[in-house]
Amino acid sequence: MLLMVFSCSEETRYHSIYDIDGYWRSASPLTYRFDIQDSAAYDISCDLRNSSDYQWSRLFIAYTLRDSAGHLTDSLFLERTLFDPVSGAPEGEAGIGDLYEQEFPVRTGYRFPGKGRYTVQLVQMMRTDSLTGIVSAGIRIEDRKSTRLNSSHV
C-alpha cells in the first residue's frame, strides 16, 4: 500500500489517501495519523475510489478514532453503496477508465476531546479477508462547513 499525504488548505486540516495494491485485507487496517491544535468543530469524511471489478453493491467499513494515549474516542460502522443494487449502475463520480470516486461524511461538526495527535483506522468489514476492487481509501479533516460558509459572507 502506498500512502499519499496532500498539502492542506486553510479549510482542509488533513487529507491522506492510501492506494491499495490488489487486495484490501481485513487484517490490514488503513491508519491515518494527524494533529489537532484547537477545540474547533470539524467535518470528517472518507474518500473512496473503486473499480468496476468490485463484486458487491455495498461496502462496510469499521472506523475508529484514538487519541495519543491510544484511548478510543469515537467509532462507527460505515456502510456505503458503490453500485445501485437494482440496475448495477456505479455511484460516485466517474474517474479514469473504470474507476469511480466518492467522498462521504463520517462525522459532521465533530469536536475532538482535546489538542494532540489522533489516529483513525479504517478496516474493511466485508465477508472476505482479501477484498478486490477498492483502489484507494482516505480520510479528510476539514473546518466545519457551516462555519466556512458563514465566515465567507462576512
Side-chain angles (χ1 to χ4, degrees):
M1 280 183 244
L2 174 68
L3 173 66
M4 295 187 297
V5 178
F6 297 91
S7 63
C8 297
S9 69
E10 187 175 313
E11 297 162 349
T12 301
R13 302 303 176 170
Y14 176 81
H15 184 210
S16 180
I17 297 174
Y18 274 103
D19 282 336
I20 299 168
D21 188 25
Y23 300 96
W24 184 3
R25 302 188 191 288
S26 59
S28 299
L30 305 180
T31 303
Y32 309 86
R33 290 183 177 84
F34 53 91
D35 295 313
I36 295 297
Q37 301 300 325
D38 55 32
S39 61
Y42 292 97
D43 291 338
I44 304 171
S45 60
C46 182
D47 292 328
L48 193 63
R49 186 179 306 140
N50 64 284
S51 72
S52 59
D53 294 337
Y54 187 72
Q55 300 175 9
W56 296 276
S57 63
R58 297 179 298 170
L59 173 65
F60 299 100
I61 301 172
Y63 159 92
T64 58
L65 174 67
R66 295 183 182 276
D67 64 16
S68 58
H71 298 116
L72 184 67
T73 60
D74 193 26
S75 66
L76 287 171
F77 188 76
L78 306 173
E79 175 185 353
R80 190 65 184 180
T81 299
L82 303 183
F83 294 94
D84 183 280
V86 176
S87 71
E91 303 285 334
E93 294 184 27
I96 299 171
D98 72 340
L99 299 180
Y100 302 93
E101 299 177 2
Q102 297 187 39
E103 178 185 352
F104 59 94
V106 175
R107 290 286 190 203
T108 302
Y110 183 80
R111 292 190 185 275
F112 290 86
K115 295 178 185 178
R117 188 136 182 98
Y118 288 87
T119 302
V120 165
Q121 285 194 318
L122 301 178
V123 178
Q124 67 93 348
M125 301 298 290
M126 300 300 290
R127 293 182 179 156
T128 181
D129 290 330
S130 299
L131 186 62
T132 60
I134 302 298
V135 177
S136 64
I139 290 292
R140 183 185 308 255
I141 311 291
E142 297 181 309
D143 292 343
R144 187 172 180 191
K145 284 184 176 38
S146 63
T147 303
R148 287 185 293 182
L149 292 175
N150 290 338
S151 64
S152 67
H153 293 276
V154 177

